[in-house]
Amino acid sequence: MKEFIPYGKQLITNEDIKEVIKILKSDWLTTGPNIEKFERKICDFVGAKYCVAFSSGTSALHGCMYAIGIKKGDEVIVPTLTFLSTANCVVFQNGKPVFVDVDEEKLLIDPKKIYEKINKKTKAIISVDYGGHPCDYEELENISKKFGLFLIADASHSLGAKYKGKNVGTLADLTVFSFHPVKIITTGEGGAVVTNNEEFYIKLKRFRNHGINLEVRERLKEKILFYKMEDIGYNYRITDFQCILGISQLKKIKKFLKRRNQIAEYYTQKLSNIKEVEPLKKEKDIYHAYHLYVVKLPNEKIRDGLYLYLREKNIGTNVHYYPVHLQPFYLKKFGTYKGMCPVAEEMYKKILSLPIYPSLKKSQIDYVIKNIKMFFKK
């Protein structure tokens, strides 16, 4: 296979390009009308009242920590098997991320292990819909209500997923989406927070715009000459041409999700007779977004061998993720240690993400499967 097959890839159509060009020729490149339009489209899609678009999923997570008032001395429970931003956003607000292990079958935060970490300093839980599979939100909601905690869903992997018939985006106090190129839809870089809480919405809008009370279009509309900075904030604004790309991508999201599920089902079927390859479990009462298709292998040596073998065949795979509590920063700064989250520590040695994205061709999928089978026949 001459063409390299990455583990993830955006699908940009001519329609997307035409829409972006229109904005590049318009009067508004940033802080313009298409930001609000995109936010409204996201709200309509997930069924939330409010949406605030950000420059990235990371900045959106940071906004959530600001909105719920995280400060020095506060603790926030996070899963360790996630991207760095899930924990880093707590540190940005001088809080302490408290790492919790995951379950072995789906690699989602284990609700049973959350109880062990809750104390008087605990203020919130951040769940992560690993790979696109929604967490056990029913149990997470029960825990949050019992202890008076905020529940934040890091749904960077799961835009369009459903939990027991309910849309991801309606299952937590605040839900974060990412629009990075390998995610379900893309705006290049970008993210968003959805919520039904108006107070959070106001805080998030202010936070992404330097802490200023009104954005430029609002000031023009109200004929207000001066802005007021009411709190410290950041330049976490997204652009109009990114948002018009997001609007155009949203029109295709159902097709994207359908294709991702088709690819996942095909992998599962065709790999089922290889005893060394085990896909992650999928619960029956969820609709999976399949940002990732992850398989478990017998051990680290075999996983690394398969990774290198597929790379030689021009097939890109990845490991999601190295446990965050084992990162040098957290070992030094927060005193985390090896053995703290044994399931995640064991699973990361075995997992591998196979290529999955809407434009992946059947011939390419068959090529991936063929080479996995060849590896285990050696």
Side-chain angles (χ1 to χ4, degrees):
M1 184 75 67
K2 293 181 180 179
E3 182 185 353
F4 178 69
I5 304 173
Y7 86 88
K9 185 181 179 181
Q10 71 276 12
L11 174 54
I12 302 296
T13 65
N14 287 332
E15 180 189 9
D16 295 329
I17 294 167
K18 288 176 183 177
E19 290 298 313
V20 172
I21 289 171
K22 286 180 189 176
I23 301 307
L24 292 175
K25 292 179 178 179
S26 73
D27 292 333
W28 291 96
L29 293 187
T30 191
T31 63
N34 287 294
I35 295 170
E36 290 178 13
K37 287 179 184 177
F38 181 50
E39 290 169 341
R40 189 70 259 153
K41 294 287 186 183
I42 293 289
C43 283
D44 292 343
F45 180 71
V46 303
K49 287 184 181 179
Y50 307 106
C51 175
V52 181
F54 279 79
S55 57
S56 67
T58 301
S59 58
L61 281 165
H62 189 187
C64 289
M65 294 301 98
Y66 169 81
I68 65 173
I70 295 301
K71 59 186 184 304
K72 188 174 182 179
D74 291 335
E75 295 185 358
V76 178
I77 289 170
V78 302
T80 188
L81 209 63
T82 182
F83 185 62
L84 302 168
S85 302
T86 311
N88 289 354
C89 70
V90 182
V91 182
F92 295 160
Q93 287 297 109
N94 297 309
K96 178 184 177 182
V98 176
F99 296 101
V100 169
D101 213 340
V102 296
D103 74 83
E104 192 171 329
E105 294 181 324
K106 302 180 294 295
L107 305 185
L108 301 173
I109 191 167
D110 190 337
K112 296 189 295 294
K113 294 174 183 176
I114 292 175
Y115 286 96
E116 303 167 12
K117 304 289 185 177
I118 294 174
N119 60 48
K120 291 181 180 179
K121 295 180 181 179
T122 310
K123 191 156 186 179
I125 299 168
I126 304 179
S127 59
V128 173
D129 295 340
Y130 180 86
H133 190 301
C135 293
D136 185 352
Y137 282 103
E138 196 171 272
E139 185 58 27
L140 292 174
E141 185 181 16
N142 289 338
I143 296 170
S144 300
K145 286 183 176 179
K146 182 176 180 179
F147 293 97
L149 308 176
F150 294 108
L151 178 59
I152 291 86
D154 183 345
S156 298
H157 294 185
S158 60
L159 178 62
K162 295 178 186 288
Y163 171 81
K164 296 186 177 181
K166 296 179 180 178
N167 292 339
V168 168
T170 63
L171 302 164
D173 296 304
L174 295 150
T175 300
V176 173
F177 298 118
S178 170
F179 309 125
H180 182 275
V182 296
K183 297 304 195 317
I184 307 303
I185 65 168
T186 188
T187 57
E189 288 280 1
V193 183
V194 295
T195 183
N196 289 331
N197 185 307
E198 186 177 12
E199 182 182 349
F200 290 158
Y201 170 66
I202 293 167
K203 286 181 177 179
L204 289 162
K205 282 193 70 177
R206 186 172 64 205
F207 185 71
R208 75 168 174 192
N209 189 34
H210 304 279
I212 294 170
N213 61 337
L214 294 173
E215 295 183 356
V216 61
R217 289 181 68 251
E218 293 171 323
R219 297 200 306 274
L220 287 171
K221 184 178 179 181
E222 300 297 327
K223 299 180 181 179
I224 296 172
L225 185 58
F226 300 103
Y227 56 76
K228 294 180 180 179
M229 178 182 154
E230 297 182 345
D231 202 351
I232 192 69
Y234 293 77
N235 182 0
Y236 282 160
R237 297 185 303 247
I238 194 169
T239 64
D240 262 49
F241 54 87
Q242 286 176 288
C243 286
I244 201 67
L245 175 58
I247 292 169
S248 184
Q249 288 264 299
L250 263 177
K251 294 175 183 178
K252 299 179 279 287
I253 190 169
K254 290 183 179 179
K255 291 181 181 179
F256 288 172
L257 290 164
K258 182 179 180 180
R259 181 60 183 149
R260 286 179 177 275
N261 273 268
Q262 287 173 342
I263 294 168
E265 289 167 12
Y266 191 71
Y267 270 138
T268 300
Q269 177 191 350
K270 295 297 181 180
L271 296 173
S272 61
N273 60 351
I274 307 175
K275 66 178 187 299
E276 297 91 346
V277 179
E278 181 187 354
L280 296 186
K281 183 179 179 182
K282 174 183 173 291
E283 295 292 347
K284 293 179 181 179
D285 56 3
I286 66 100
Y287 179 66
H288 208 304
Y290 279 112
H291 160 57
L292 303 173
Y293 185 85
V294 178
V295 295
K296 292 189 288 186
L297 299 155
N299 55 53
E300 188 173 16
K301 184 179 179 180
I302 291 173
R303 191 274 309 278
D304 292 354
L306 179 59
Y307 167 82
L308 292 172
Y309 180 82
L310 293 176
R311 186 72 190 198
E312 289 173 3
K313 303 298 181 181
N314 237 3
I315 299 167
T317 61
N318 212 333
V319 176
H320 297 96
Y321 298 90
Y322 184 75
V324 182
H325 76 279
L326 297 181
Q327 293 289 349
F329 172 81
Y330 285 100
L331 292 169
K332 294 174 186 177
K333 181 81 173 178
F334 291 95
T336 55
Y337 55 90
K338 190 174 182 180
M340 191 176 183
C341 297
V343 175
E345 290 175 33
E346 182 64 19
M347 287 301 106
Y348 99 86
K349 297 175 184 177
K350 299 179 178 183
I351 54 178
L352 197 65
S353 300
L354 302 183
I356 187 167
Y357 47 92
S359 61
L360 192 63
K361 300 171 186 174
K362 185 177 181 296
S363 60
Q364 292 173 313
I365 304 168
D366 286 334
Y367 180 73
V368 173
I369 293 166
K370 174 187 172 183
N371 278 284
I372 292 173
K373 289 180 176 179
M374 289 294 292
F375 174 81
F376 285 106
K377 284 180 179 179
K378 289 192 303 176

